[in-house]
Amino acid sequence: MIETIIKRDGRAVPFSIDKIANAIFQAAKATGGNDYEEALALSQKVVDYIESTGNTRPTVEEIQDAVEKILIESGHARTAKKFILYRSERSRVREMNTRLMKIYEGLTFKDAKENDIKRENANIDGDTSMGTMLKYGSEGAKQFNELYVLKPEHSKAHAEGDIHIHDLDFLTLTTTCCQIDINKLFKGGFSTGHGFLREPNDISSYAALAAIAIQSNQNDQHGGQSIPAFDTFLAPGVKKTYRRFYVSNLSKGLELLCGFEDAFEASKNLCLEVEGTYGLTPVFANDNDYQAKEADLLINKYKLPEANVRKAQSFAVKKAVKETDKQTYQAMEAFVHNLNTMHSRAGAQVPFSSITLGDDPSPEARLVCKNFLLATDAGLGNGETAIFPVSIFRVKEGVNYNPADPNYDLFKLAMKVSAKRLFPNFCFADATFNAPGYDVNDYNSKVAYMGCRTRVKANVYDPTRQVTCGRGNLSFTSINLPRIAIKAHGNTDIFFEELDRKIDLVFDQLYDRFLIQGRRRVYNYPFLMGQGLWLDSDKLKPDDEVMEVLKHGTLTVGFIGLAEALKALIGSHHGETQEARNLGLEIVGHMRSRCDQKSQEEGMNYTLIATPAEGLSGRFVRMDRERYGVIPGVTDRAYYTNSFHVPVYFPISAFEKIKIEGPYHNLTNAGHISYIEMDGNPLDNLDAFESVIRCMKDNNMGYASINHPVDRDPVCGYTGIIGDVCPRCGRHDGEAISEEVLMKIKGYSTSVCSCDENPLEEADKVAHPVDIVEI
Amino acid sequence: MMESKMVGEGVKFERIRRITGYLVGTLDRFNDAKYAEVNDRVKHSIGTGNGEFEEV
């Protein structure tokens, strides 16, 4: 006689036959059954069977085994199937809960250096309170979404590593990224949700509010925030600043030379008078008739001596130019500092910011660009390389690419800064896929890149709105190419068939996610939609769903490990053989044409990205090695090669690599990037640096960058290449050095060192460098 | 002459590397896979610098 049963946690609880009957009844109901009496009779058979084995204290598992056996033996096959499904589902939930608690345990009790999950994203410090809290939330949300939100087939494909659903923790919450039109945002002021900000009136406030726009929007989205024409957008700030400085300096000149009382008011009114009468305003380039009209008024109306008027005017121009330049530099410096220090993203991260600039030839925009580059060159407070924003110099023939172009000096400066600081990256507006529609005077016509590589330009949903601003990626999911290749056993037909199935699966999953995102309302995205940043969101009311306007964004398929896939399929990767090169382009070309076709069918933007893959770099290969063992060139490293890249370990010349990777940029319309690893200090060889950049452009790349080691010893402040020993102060990593030696190295004598100032910091400060490039 | 103080004990060199398109200030923050990848990276020779390609 069974009186107690043993639960999974080991507790003994009183036995009740109704519980078995109910489980059978529920399973039968799911197949259309409706007979509780029969369920009860069957559970009696279950009890009889267990007792016949002599077991009087069965476990839950033993009872469930018996239920399966009795159901099958008594001809209830469909009910048995339901019961087995139910049972496996329950045990999956239990396993997941255990897994989550294991993850939480690791997050709680292990440091980041022992816990890979805490280092999934290198820009989150997993050792801080907010960093750990962010991971608790993120890991919990991922598991919940995997279990209860995703369709089972999507969840399974993700869990088993056929595909990777990026940012799964945000599945039910928001979209990836946005290219922000701050020009539009600033017009008339905007609100951050906690206060209203007036339209800015000088370059400092323009730069400060640009950072605020990035920070505010960062909390509405999980991906990067970008300002696609930073120089153009901030130019009005320079304009306003120059005007103000001009008026105030003119007043000083007039007061001194002409004995004007209350000269400031007078100058202001004078300026307003010229503006009102002639529509002319003092401008940075001083290339209009403003000064002539102003002189005319001063001499003829106010009867001032001409010589003094001319003198005051030229004094005002000279001073205003200098002060505007200086103020712009300081604004850029503050902008960079701000974006590297404010942990405004979920309390644990600085915003993932990027800005594109370089191809606006107006004098004010040039001043912004120059000073941004100089501030990047100078680095942070102790000369550290700034990590954010990702800056992108937009290269364009006729604007900055050739010596005769108006912004060629800025292109040169950009390369010099990049050779020292790794940023800016370079995007190429002349690439065949970026060039259409480019208009130097229309920022919305210029392609921009976001963060690590995202690109949004064409618009199948609304072909009349192929604009850069107000759009971004909605979500992306990557396909495990090497696994498909391993499973194809060298048969490319099988490879393509399976690839097609995976692409279909990803399309379906992206669309499901889009439906979740789209059913959210304007109030769920208070800044992005509430302040009208997203295209057409300004036409919506707070309670409206965002479904329609989200269609301006992109649904994106990604991939990783083309090199390993090729290796598995034909034994060589695209760095090695022409055969692999052809097949690689065929594979990625096929993925792209599937996306294009889907876009046409659905009237939405399905696009293809060369996935950035930070957290993903090790995930697929770990699973594939477990399944298929170590396959040389395929699963024998800790990572799969990024997107379409030639493997990082493969020796190849820069130019050859560029030639091989170039064609993939044209295929990956949702984003791409190529890198060249340059040896030594590129500052010593800027010509080589430039030849690599030009080669990238010649090979129709869209976005690229040059990597080189940037090391820094925080103790002596040396920046450059450091091996085991700092070339400047001679200390090893983590080693102490005597302060006296340090002082000597840094050109200080201990006797002049006052106690109040820290000579270490002082020595790192650079002279104000606005004169590096004269504009 | 006062005794010289020692400074810098435990202060590590910063090694800034590009990870997936953005920069990271220290290798300590890289996940295991990316750390392995960074260690495997080889330099790409620039050759003549005139954009000449080896035959591929």
Side-chain angles (χ1 to χ4, degrees):
Chain A
M1 186 67 188
I2 301 172
E3 281 175 358
T4 52
I5 64 156
I6 311 298
K7 295 198 66 166
R8 283 192 182 77
D9 56 10
R11 281 180 299 142
V13 296
F15 169 70
S16 149
I17 194 168
D18 290 339
K19 284 204 169 159
I20 301 178
N22 201 35
I24 294 173
F25 183 60
Q26 293 302 333
K29 247 170 77 176
T31 63
N34 194 21
D35 188 348
Y36 187 80
E37 288 308 314
E38 190 175 359
L40 199 58
L42 282 165
S43 28
Q44 190 53 53
K45 280 190 181 175
V46 171
V47 173
D48 293 346
Y49 166 73
I50 295 171
E51 285 178 349
S52 75
T53 65
N55 190 346
T56 54
R57 280 166 65 88
T59 64
V60 172
E61 292 294 323
E62 284 166 344
I63 295 175
Q64 289 184 342
D65 287 346
V67 170
E68 280 180 22
K69 182 180 156 68
I70 297 298
L71 283 176
I72 292 165
E73 284 177 3
S74 49
H76 295 278
R78 282 169 63 214
T79 304
K81 199 174 163 201
K82 277 288 162 202
F83 181 79
I84 292 165
L85 273 178
Y86 162 83
R87 204 179 156 187
S88 80
E89 176 64 21
R90 289 295 303 164
S91 67
R92 192 166 72 94
V93 171
R94 257 194 321 278
E95 265 168 39
M96 295 278 280
N97 285 339
T98 317
R99 206 170 85 204
L100 182 59
M101 287 308 122
K102 279 263 172 268
I103 288 172
Y104 278 8
E105 190 186 356
L107 291 174
T108 311
F109 297 114
K110 283 188 176 157
D111 279 346
K113 64 172 185 290
E114 322 164 77
N115 186 324
D116 201 43
I117 289 181
K118 281 191 173 177
R119 282 177 283 120
E120 188 182 10
N121 181 322
N123 280 312
I124 299 174
D125 184 348
D127 284 331
T128 61
S129 310
M130 292 304 156
T132 307
M133 186 53 81
L134 180 61
K135 292 308 279 181
Y136 283 130
S138 160
E139 292 301 323
K142 275 185 205 169
Q143 304 258 337
F144 180 82
N145 292 335
E146 224 178 285
L147 265 181
Y148 299 110
V149 182
L150 286 175
K151 271 190 193 158
E153 62 264 37
H154 300 153
S155 181
K156 185 166 177 281
H158 174 82
E160 293 180 354
D162 288 339
I163 63 170
H164 183 83
I165 302 171
H166 294 270
D167 304 293
L168 181 57
D169 42 352
F170 282 98
L171 183 80
T172 62
L173 303 176
T174 183
T175 59
T176 313
C177 52
C178 184
Q179 303 180 133
I180 306 172
D181 184 341
I182 57 171
N183 185 39
K184 187 178 155 212
L185 180 69
F186 287 177
K187 212 157 272 166
F190 65 97
S191 168
T192 61
H194 301 284
F196 185 80
L197 298 164
R198 282 190 305 271
E199 184 170 327
N201 268 320
D202 76 5
I203 186 61
S204 307
S205 28
Y206 267 79
L209 294 199
I212 289 174
I214 286 173
Q215 283 152 353
S216 299
N217 209 45
Q218 182 66 86
N219 283 321
D220 275 7
Q221 293 192 295
H222 57 72
Q225 298 305 320
S226 93
I227 298 182
F230 186 74
D231 44 359
T232 302
F233 289 148
L234 266 64
V238 171
K239 230 173 216 156
K240 291 175 184 175
T241 298
Y242 178 81
R243 182 185 178 278
R244 189 163 49 76
F245 279 136
Y246 179 83
V247 169
S248 99
N249 281 303
L250 183 71
S251 77
K252 286 176 196 163
L254 291 178
E255 190 165 331
L256 197 66
L257 296 169
C258 310
F260 247 56
E261 297 272 325
D262 200 8
F264 187 66
E265 278 306 305
S267 295
K268 244 166 68 178
N269 291 335
L270 184 67
C271 184
L272 289 174
E273 196 176 341
V274 179
E275 283 172 348
T277 317
Y278 304 103
L280 292 167
T281 202
V283 290
F284 185 76
N286 196 25
D287 57 356
N288 62 5
D289 276 344
Y290 175 84
Q291 285 205 305
K293 301 294 182 199
E294 186 184 64
D296 188 43
L297 278 177
L298 285 167
I299 295 160
N300 298 321
K301 192 167 164 189
Y302 297 101
K303 305 293 176 208
L304 296 180
E306 181 170 352
N308 288 356
V309 167
R310 301 281 178 215
K311 232 174 168 177
Q313 279 187 322
S314 98
F315 169 82
V317 168
K318 208 173 111 192
K319 282 287 187 193
V321 164
K322 208 167 169 185
E323 287 170 9
T324 304
D325 193 11
K326 189 173 170 190
Q327 179 129 345
T328 304
Y329 178 79
Q330 285 170 347
M332 295 306 114
E333 193 181 38
F335 178 73
V336 173
H337 280 231
N338 191 342
L339 289 182
N340 283 281
T341 50
M342 289 295 287
H343 283 78
S344 55
R345 175 178 170 152
Q349 257 181 310
V350 296
F352 198 139
S353 55
S354 38
I355 67 166
T356 306
L357 77 182
D359 61 338
D360 183 335
S362 79
E364 291 85 1
R366 282 169 49 74
L367 193 76
V368 170
C369 184
K370 177 193 83 166
N371 281 306
F372 174 81
L373 291 170
L374 292 177
T376 304
D377 189 81
L380 301 177
N382 283 328
E384 305 98 321
T385 295
I387 304 296
F388 285 110
V390 175
S391 55
I392 300 139
F393 190 89
R394 186 163 35 220
V395 177
K396 178 74 185 107
E397 271 178 45
V399 184
N400 54 30
Y401 188 60
N402 291 310
D405 296 343
N407 284 7
Y408 182 66
D409 54 347
L410 293 175
F411 178 44
K412 286 291 236 191
L413 177 62
M415 287 187 283
K416 195 172 152 202
V417 174
S418 188
K420 179 175 174 191
R421 298 297 190 181
L422 295 160
F423 284 152
N425 299 339
F426 295 85
C427 88
F428 301 99
D430 294 306
T432 51
F433 46 92
N434 285 337
Y438 182 96
D439 172 358
V440 70
N441 297 313
D442 175 10
Y443 58 80
N444 253 326
S445 75
K446 301 176 178 181
V447 74
Y449 285 80
M450 279 181 279
C452 27
R453 62 191 73 187
T454 318
R455 174 186 179 278
V456 177
K457 194 75 186 75
N459 192 349
V460 177
Y461 163 63
D462 184 354
T464 64
R465 314 285 289 286
Q466 318 233 16
V467 296
T468 297
C469 290
R471 305 175 59 212
N473 173 254
L474 303 180
S475 80
F476 65 111
T477 296
S478 295
I479 295 176
N480 184 350
L481 288 184
R483 176 176 295 176
I484 301 176
I486 294 167
K487 283 164 68 177
H489 295 291
N491 185 327
T492 47
D493 290 341
I494 292 181
F495 175 87
F496 278 101
E497 281 165 26
E498 179 63 11
L499 178 60
D500 272 335
R501 278 192 289 272
K502 290 293 171 280
I503 292 171
D504 287 332
L505 182 82
V506 171
F507 284 157
D508 188 46
Q509 181 270 319
L510 290 169
Y511 187 69
D512 267 14
R513 185 170 184 165
F514 165 75
L515 292 178
I516 298 174
Q517 294 165 326
R519 288 200 189 101
R520 292 179 64 85
R521 295 165 195 277
V522 169
Y523 62 72
N524 293 124
Y525 308 86
F527 199 75
L528 178 69
M529 301 288 176
Q531 293 297 311
L533 269 62
W534 189 266
L535 194 57
D536 286 346
S537 64
D538 47 4
K539 295 173 187 157
L540 300 179
K541 292 187 288 294
D543 286 340
D544 287 346
E545 282 188 355
V546 298
M547 189 80 79
E548 272 310 297
V549 300
L550 274 190
K551 289 183 179 170
H552 287 300
T554 57
L555 294 174
T556 302
V557 181
F559 62 95
I560 185 172
L562 178 67
E564 286 79 9
L566 290 168
K567 200 85 183 165
L569 270 178
I570 56 169
S572 61
H573 61 67
H574 49 326
E576 294 170 316
T577 64
Q578 188 61 46
E579 187 195 1
R581 244 157 263 155
N582 295 342
L583 181 57
L585 288 172
E586 202 186 322
I587 292 170
V588 178
H590 177 74
M591 297 181 80
R592 169 63 188 278
S593 67
R594 288 292 319 271
C595 289
D596 286 354
Q597 196 190 333
K598 182 79 176 170
S599 299
Q600 290 306 328
E601 283 165 18
E602 308 292 335
M604 286 175 68
N605 298 301
Y606 285 88
T607 54
L608 181 67
I609 191 170
T611 299
E614 182 180 353
L616 182 57
S617 62
R619 181 174 176 256
F620 283 159
V621 71
R622 214 165 31 235
M623 299 167 111
D624 289 345
R625 200 181 311 117
E626 238 164 65
R627 279 191 180 199
Y628 309 107
V630 176
I631 306 170
V634 184
T635 60
D636 57 350
R637 293 176 192 260
Y639 55 90
Y640 274 152
T641 296
N642 196 291
S643 62
F644 56 70
H645 291 176
V646 170
V648 294
Y649 57 81
F650 184 70
I652 189 170
S653 78
F655 299 108
E656 200 179 338
K657 183 173 194 282
I658 292 167
K659 194 177 164 190
I660 293 169
E661 290 183 6
Y664 292 96
H665 287 228
N666 181 38
L667 297 174
T668 43
N669 56 342
H672 40 246
I673 191 167
S674 281
Y675 305 125
I676 287 302
E677 305 284 331
M678 207 167 153
D679 204 3
N681 184 349
L683 275 177
D684 297 336
N685 197 356
L686 283 173
D687 287 344
F689 192 97
E690 178 163 352
S691 73
V692 173
I693 299 292
R694 298 186 93 85
C695 176
M696 288 163 164
K697 179 184 175 295
D698 292 344
N699 282 279
N700 208 34
M701 282 191 163
Y703 185 36
S705 200
I706 296 177
N707 289 338
H708 48 88
V710 176
D711 301 331
R712 182 173 170 275
D713 181 356
V715 173
C716 73
Y718 175 81
T719 298
I721 301 169
I722 304 179
D724 292 335
V725 179
C726 172
R728 186 171 179 196
C729 69
R731 79 183 191 103
H732 288 81
D733 208 14
E735 191 179 50
I737 181 174
S738 104
E739 200 166 40
E740 197 184 339
V741 172
L742 200 59
M743 297 292 172
K744 274 192 197 133
I745 289 163
K746 303 181 73 151
Y748 278 89
S749 125
T750 40
S751 59
V752 299
C753 170
S754 113
C755 298
D756 294 336
E757 49 185 76
N758 181 350
L760 304 188
E761 279 174 16
E762 212 47 44
D764 276 338
K765 282 189 187 150
V766 284
H768 192 266
V770 281
D771 294 325
I772 293 181
V773 182
E774 263 322 322
I775 285 199
Chain B
M1 180 95 194
M2 62 181 184
E3 201 180 311
S4 180
K5 215 172 75 186
M6 298 297 280
V7 293
E9 178 75 44
V11 179
K12 295 193 140 202
F13 298 143
E14 292 167 6
R15 300 193 186 272
I16 305 214
R17 300 292 180 269
R18 203 185 305 272
I19 185 159
T20 61
Y22 65 93
L23 304 182
V24 177
T26 156
L27 296 177
D28 299 346
R29 297 263 190 93
F30 278 58
N31 66 45
D32 298 343
K34 273 286 162 187
Y35 187 80
E37 190 224 90
V38 168
N39 278 333
D40 283 356
R41 288 181 189 173
V42 296
K43 302 292 176 190
H44 302 119
S45 59
I46 305 297
T48 60
N50 292 324
E52 289 170 18
F53 291 97
E54 295 163 39
E55 267 316 302
V56 290

